[in-house]
Structures are given as C-alpha cells and as structure tokens.
Amino acid sequence: MARQGMAMALLVVVLAAGCWESASAAAMLSQLKPTLAVTASPTPNQVLHGGEDVITVTWSLNATAGTDAEYKKVKVSLCYAPVSQKGREWRKTHDDLKKDKTCQFKVTEQAYAATGTVEYRVALDIPTATYFVRAYALDASGTQVAYGQTLPGATFDVISITGVTTSIKVAAGVFSTFSIASLAFFFFIEKRKKNN
C-alpha cells in the first residue's frame, strides 16, 4: 500500500512540474513586443507561383525598440492572411503561439542579427492562399520574445502547382485512346466469333 501511495505522489509531482513548465514557457502573441521591422519583396496583391518565384525578406530592429540582448535567433515564416483563414479552423490565429496555426511555413531560422535578409523560393507544397510574412526573435531557450510582420496591406497570393503537367495530360490521352481502340477491337472479334 505504501508503494502505491509513493508511486501516486511521484506521478502527481511529475505531472504538476510538467504543467508548470509548459505554462511558464508558453508565449502569447499579445504579450510579445513588436520590435522587428519586416518587409517582403512581393508588391501588395502580387501573385506568386510555387516552385518558381522568390521572396526576399528583410528584417531590422526598430529604432525605438530598445535592446535586443536576449535575441539569439530569428525565425521567419509565411503566415495565412485573415482572408485565407475564414472558414478554415486549421489556419486560425491563436494568441497562445503553441496553438497558433497562422504561420505554418518556415522560411528560415538562423542566428539573430540586428538586420538581416533572406531569399526564399516559394515551396511547391505551399497551399494556394493569401499570405504575409512574420519574423520572431527567439531567446536562448527557443521561446519567442519579440516579433515583427509585414504591414496588413502588404499581403500577396501564392498559387500552388496543380500537379497536372503536360506529360500527364499526354499519357492520359494515349491511354484513353488505347482503351477505346481495345474495346472496339475486342467488340469486333466477339461479333466475328458469333457470326461463324
């Protein structure tokens, strides 16, 4: 009985410590300071194509932001614009960044510099939607401590590939023609056998 009590007490302590750690490490977007100025090369409402177009993202520390001593890394992501979140729960913004589904596509994560630039070729698996760019400053533990994003009017559209290439269309045409020809040939053979 004493062992069960001790095991139960140990389990409660471990669970409580895990809950306290996860609660203290959770970053909230509303509590982060917007200390990074972020710009992206696409013009407002520009249409980009997956696998073809390149985005140049630039970030810098705001002049009025104060110190950036705790910033160790910067993480830049493509984020769904509000218009592309409507009716899609899997893209919704959440204040708790562990639950946030807005910024699902990492552009880069690298050592922090007060100013930086990165070029990103739009990946082929990026869904068709309207996007903006957000950058997070991370501390030594990898927790978001500040952010910046492109202006609300600076959204751009990405059109993903359809997966239907010319070679697939040609193959479908050849196989369709072959199947119709085969059907006609065997129909003719069966008709001929009946007549004999």
Side-chain angles (χ1 to χ4, degrees):
M1 189 70 149
R3 283 186 180 170
Q4 286 180 338
M6 174 107 51
M8 188 60 101
L10 182 61
L11 179 63
V12 169
V13 169
V14 169
L15 287 175
C19 291
W20 180 78
E21 181 181 319
S22 66
S24 64
M28 303 295 217
L29 183 62
S30 61
Q31 296 174 352
L32 297 181
K33 295 175 261 174
T35 60
L36 299 176
V38 179
T39 58
S41 60
T43 58
N45 301 318
Q46 182 178 351
V47 177
L48 304 175
H49 295 87
E52 297 175 13
D53 293 317
V54 175
I55 300 172
T56 302
V57 179
T58 305
W59 67 89
S60 61
L61 185 66
N62 285 337
T64 59
T67 180
D68 61 351
E70 65 178 327
Y71 303 171
K72 301 303 179 197
K73 287 186 172 184
V74 65
K75 179 182 176 184
V76 180
S77 301
L78 283 183
C79 307
Y80 291 112
V83 70
S84 290
Q85 294 178 22
K86 290 180 183 167
R88 295 177 172 100
E89 289 297 318
W90 59 92
R91 296 180 178 180
K92 288 290 183 185
T93 300
H94 197 283
D95 192 41
D96 181 353
L97 293 178
K98 290 196 180 285
K99 297 178 182 177
D100 184 44
K101 298 176 184 172
T102 306
C103 302
Q104 298 181 18
F105 307 102
K106 184 168 82 170
V107 171
T108 188
E109 185 173 327
Q110 60 189 45
Y112 174 77
T115 59
T117 300
V118 66
E119 287 192 351
Y120 170 73
R121 180 171 305 279
V122 179
L124 292 171
D125 62 348
I126 300 292
T128 297
T130 302
Y131 294 90
F132 66 93
V133 177
R134 182 180 289 163
Y136 291 107
L138 309 176
D139 64 10
S141 69
T143 302
Q144 299 94 335
V145 291
Y147 80 103
Q149 62 189 32
T150 53
L151 298 174
T155 60
F156 53 91
D157 296 322
V158 171
I159 297 177
S160 61
I161 62 166
T162 63
V164 180
T165 62
T166 304
S167 59
I168 291 176
K169 289 178 184 177
V170 168
V174 167
F175 286 123
S176 295
T177 304
F178 177 74
S179 65
I180 292 170
S182 297
L183 182 66
F185 174 76
F186 287 113
F187 180 74
F188 177 74
I189 295 295
E190 286 297 317
K191 193 94 160 153
R192 193 169 172 201
K193 282 184 182 177
K194 274 188 178 179
N195 290 341
N196 287 337

